[in-house]
Amino acid sequence: MHNTSPEQMPDTVMSVDQRHTRQKLEGGRRFVLRTDFSAAGDQPVAIAELSQGVNAGERDQVLLGATGTGKTFTMAKIIEETQRPAIILAPNKTLAAQLYGEFKGFFPENAVEYFVSYYDYYQPEAYVARSDTYIEKESQINEQIDRMRHSATRALLERDDVIIVASVSCIYGIGSVETYGAMTQDLFAGQSYDQRKVIGDLVAQQYRRNDAAFQRGCFRVRGDSLEVWPAHLDDRAWKLSFFGEELESITEFDPLTGHKTDSFEKVRIYANSHYVTPRPTMQQAIKGIKTELRQRLDQLVGEGKLLEAQRLEQRTNFDLEMLEATGVCNGIENYSRYLTGRAPGEPPPTLFEYIPDNAIVFAD
């Protein structure tokens, strides 16, 4: 990985107003329900009444039915009738996967996305003061689920026809929609770009350079071509072909075989992390973290807990150095309040901040 110093770190930042007014790359598509089923029994009445309630602005409605009575089909029909994006909350990962499969079948041409916790294994950090033992947080992230989470947040910002099937993970903290939506790169075929600047921006978006083992979240340079594997794609990558400073073409290809699968006039590259932060925000966050560290150290020293104070100072200063040098550190979510500019006690940003105001929430 090529790190840039703070002075070199580029700002791929657009204002929040720009993010809200800019055009969605894949907007304007309608929900189209593909099914051989037709509504039967109580379903036609339920669909008509619930859709009418949604359109009339009714806040809460309840659909009752035993298992196997066709509630999923009823939900799909309501989405088609109202033409509104939806988030479907499932009580666990297994049910979420089942619902995701069913809705994928109902809406094959629309963006049906899956958003659940991406940890296969999680062991929180611990500190035993008596023996001065610090046990680092251990976690194993499921790459496939991480990709699907990126695909979900990108779809919410780029499309109108989105259905998210989510577990309880959607009410836990995630990077703020303002910074995630702003830390993007728009590239247009036929326009001029400094290739080194594009690479620098990719590093700021937490993409890693890897010329040997190309994988999701990486980029590689091959002569005048820059190949990027975006965070939201599973088996496709993008090739940016330059001639001098002109971006001649943008093609999509299969990284395994190298076969071209599509070509684009323009693309928007989203960050490789939901906790990506623009340089000015990062500088502000580091100031806030240092202030709180000072207060906490004074408190621990005042209580005679010198060992704890030393450990906290070492750990936090190491994290701050990493944040200043690379824009990321292990356990960056611990500092999310500062990175998102929240006040003490304020709730963290969650997936719900990415969801449009007109969306329907189904709590199963």
Side-chain angles (χ1 to χ4, degrees):
M1 174 172 170
H2 288 243
N3 296 330
T4 50
S5 71
E7 294 76 37
Q8 296 170 302
M9 186 74 88
D11 293 326
T12 55
V13 181
M14 59 176 67
S15 73
V16 176
D17 292 334
Q18 279 179 300
R19 190 184 67 76
H20 285 303
T21 54
R22 75 180 178 189
Q23 185 189 1
K24 292 185 174 183
L25 289 185
E26 300 170 54
R29 298 186 190 181
R30 290 181 62 79
F31 283 107
V32 181
L33 179 61
R34 304 282 184 206
T35 179
D36 296 330
F37 301 124
S38 56
D42 293 335
Q43 284 179 331
V45 178
I47 292 161
E49 286 187 8
L50 290 166
S51 301
Q52 194 180 341
V54 169
N55 289 327
E58 208 169 309
R59 188 178 158 82
D60 303 304
Q61 301 185 80
V62 180
L63 172 64
L64 295 171
T67 303
T69 53
K71 294 190 296 296
T72 306
F73 177 70
T74 304
M75 280 153 55
K77 285 295 282 183
I78 291 163
I79 292 168
E80 188 191 37
E81 287 281 321
T82 57
Q83 288 295 316
R84 292 191 187 202
I87 177 165
I88 298 154
L89 306 178
N92 57 52
K93 274 186 181 181
T94 310
L95 270 170
Q98 184 184 323
L99 281 168
Y100 171 68
E102 288 180 20
F103 275 95
K104 270 289 217 194
F106 283 143
F107 296 99
E109 292 134 42
N110 302 115
V112 179
E113 306 289 348
Y114 187 61
F115 193 94
V116 299
S117 169
Y118 58 13
Y119 288 116
D120 283 338
Y121 167 76
Y122 187 90
Q123 171 76 35
E125 62 189 4
Y127 176 62
V128 184
R130 183 180 295 178
S131 57
D132 189 24
T133 307
Y134 173 68
I135 303 160
E136 279 219 48
K137 178 179 82 174
E138 257 192 281
S139 62
Q140 200 173 345
I141 287 174
N142 186 305
E143 276 292 313
Q144 185 65 9
I145 294 178
D146 185 42
R147 183 199 67 76
M148 293 169 100
R149 284 165 67 99
H150 278 285
S151 179
T153 49
R154 178 193 172 275
L156 285 167
L157 298 179
E158 292 298 341
R159 299 180 68 154
D160 302 311
D161 58 327
V162 184
I163 298 167
I164 306 278
V165 180
S167 68
V168 71
S169 181
C170 68
I171 63 169
Y172 285 87
I174 189 177
S176 81
V177 66
E178 285 81 17
T179 51
Y180 178 76
M183 291 285 278
T184 57
Q185 283 199 73
D186 284 6
L187 298 168
F188 299 85
Q191 292 196 13
S192 293
Y193 299 94
D194 178 355
Q195 192 185 22
R196 289 184 67 83
K197 170 84 165 65
V198 174
I199 291 170
D201 287 354
L202 284 169
V203 172
Q205 290 177 290
Q206 294 186 22
Y207 281 86
R208 300 176 305 281
R209 180 168 181 170
N210 193 333
D211 292 348
F214 194 41
Q215 57 191 15
R216 190 182 66 85
C218 292
F219 66 91
R220 65 185 177 192
V221 183
R222 295 190 157 182
D224 282 345
S225 295
L226 174 61
E227 294 177 358
V228 185
W229 194 327
H232 69 282
L233 290 177
D234 184 19
D235 54 359
R236 296 284 181 274
W238 294 340
K239 181 178 183 178
L240 311 173
S241 301
F242 289 88
F243 183 73
E245 291 204 341
E246 186 193 349
L247 178 53
E248 278 195 315
S249 64
I250 304 168
T251 53
E252 185 185 72
F253 68 97
D254 184 329
L256 193 64
T257 62
H259 288 312
K260 177 182 168 182
T261 53
D262 206 348
S263 61
F264 307 112
E265 285 302 306
K266 57 183 177 182
V267 290
R268 183 170 290 155
I269 302 173
Y270 277 84
N272 189 37
S273 164
H274 286 112
Y275 290 99
V276 74
T277 310
R279 169 61 45 189
T281 312
M282 182 63 80
Q283 298 291 8
Q284 200 62 37
I286 287 168
K287 273 186 203 166
I289 295 164
K290 282 179 176 172
T291 305
E292 192 192 325
L293 175 64
R294 192 70 265 148
Q295 293 166 353
R296 190 82 180 105
L297 290 176
D298 291 345
Q299 183 192 343
L300 288 170
V301 171
E303 292 170 4
K305 297 180 176 175
L306 302 179
L307 203 56
E308 287 88 335
Q310 184 195 18
R311 168 58 72 184
L312 180 68
E313 189 172 23
Q314 279 177 346
R315 176 77 213 173
T316 312
N317 282 336
F318 176 74
D319 287 346
L320 289 172
E321 281 176 25
M322 291 298 291
L323 287 172
E324 285 196 76
T326 66
V328 67
C329 71
N330 266 345
I332 192 170
E333 60 275 10
N334 294 339
Y335 305 108
S336 62
R337 180 169 82 72
Y338 291 102
L339 299 175
T340 56
R342 305 278 160 139
E346 247 188 293
T350 65
L351 182 68
F352 278 90
E353 293 194 7
Y354 289 73
I355 292 164
D357 294 338
N358 67 332
I360 311 170
V361 179
F362 293 96
D364 188 358

